[in-house]
Amino acid sequence: MIKRAVRQGLIAGLAGGVAMTLGEKLEQAVTGRPDSYVPARVLQRLTGMPEHPGKQPLPVNWAMHFGQAALLGVLRSVMAHAGLRGPAASAKFAVVRLTNDQILENATGVGAPPSTWPRGELVVDVLHKSVYALVTGAVADALAARQGPGPGQSHAAVRPGRHSDVGPPPRKDASDR
């Protein structure tokens, strides 16, 4: 499952990253909001690359932007393969995506806690990361579904609802994925 989840997750994450970027560019055309160079600044701090004032090199910005999208897509793919699928799983994943950004941005000193942001900027960030999470989730779910239900879904199918007297399916059935 892990090899498949990695491969499919990279694809799903990149698809989500492309969708998020297209949405950002559309929103920027409407609102006039400038490009963000936070991804480049974070990558420069994480890797010890030289930092530049003002506008950042586009390849560095995109490397972090799409690199994060792809790598986090692997986690969403693992979720899908385990049986955590659908919009509710994608909503949970949106929180992971937002948290990942905040950890990296705040730990490197590039960003500030969202509670200090203007509300409009916070809404825009949450919207774009939600688009990423939903598209990444839809792709990851579709790819994982080709292997059938995940172990969690198989367990749930034994008897709908949560019951303390229903154990998991046999190990061999859960590990065939």
Side-chain angles (χ1 to χ4, degrees), residues 3-173:
K3 285 181 187 177
R4 215 176 3 247
V6 168
R7 185 178 63 255
Q8 292 175 359
L10 293 172
I11 292 166
L14 285 174
V18 167
M20 178 174 65
T21 303
L22 292 174
E24 287 168 342
K25 295 304 176 192
L26 179 64
E27 172 264 319
Q28 287 174 310
V30 171
T31 65
R33 184 176 64 85
D35 287 337
S36 169
Y37 297 107
V38 169
R41 293 180 190 285
V42 169
L43 185 57
Q44 289 164 350
R45 293 266 174 107
L46 289 172
T47 62
M49 293 169 63
E51 296 184 44
H52 307 278
K55 189 175 179 180
Q56 300 299 306
L58 191 58
V60 176
N61 215 43
W62 281 5
M64 185 64 175
H65 181 75
F66 288 107
Q68 271 187 284
L71 290 175
L72 286 171
V74 173
L75 175 61
R76 183 59 180 85
S77 181
V78 169
M79 291 171 66
H81 279 277
L84 300 169
R85 298 179 187 164
S90 291
K92 293 172 190 172
F93 179 63
V95 173
V96 170
R97 178 66 169 99
L98 288 159
T99 302
N100 179 76
D101 275 4
Q102 289 309 306
I103 290 170
L104 293 174
E105 292 170 15
N106 283 271
T108 57
V110 170
S115 59
T116 66
W117 297 7
R119 291 296 145 234
E121 286 183 32
L122 185 58
V123 167
V124 167
D125 194 52
V126 169
L127 172 69
H128 292 309
K129 298 305 182 334
S130 296
V131 166
Y132 163 80
L134 290 170
V135 171
T136 300
V139 174
D141 290 349
L143 293 172
R146 297 186 314 187
Q147 279 78 51
Q153 292 168 313
S154 296
H155 185 179
V158 172
R159 191 162 115 205
R162 207 169 163 161
H163 304 280
S164 61
D165 62 330
V166 177
R171 184 182 304 244
K172 68 175 181 56
D173 295 341

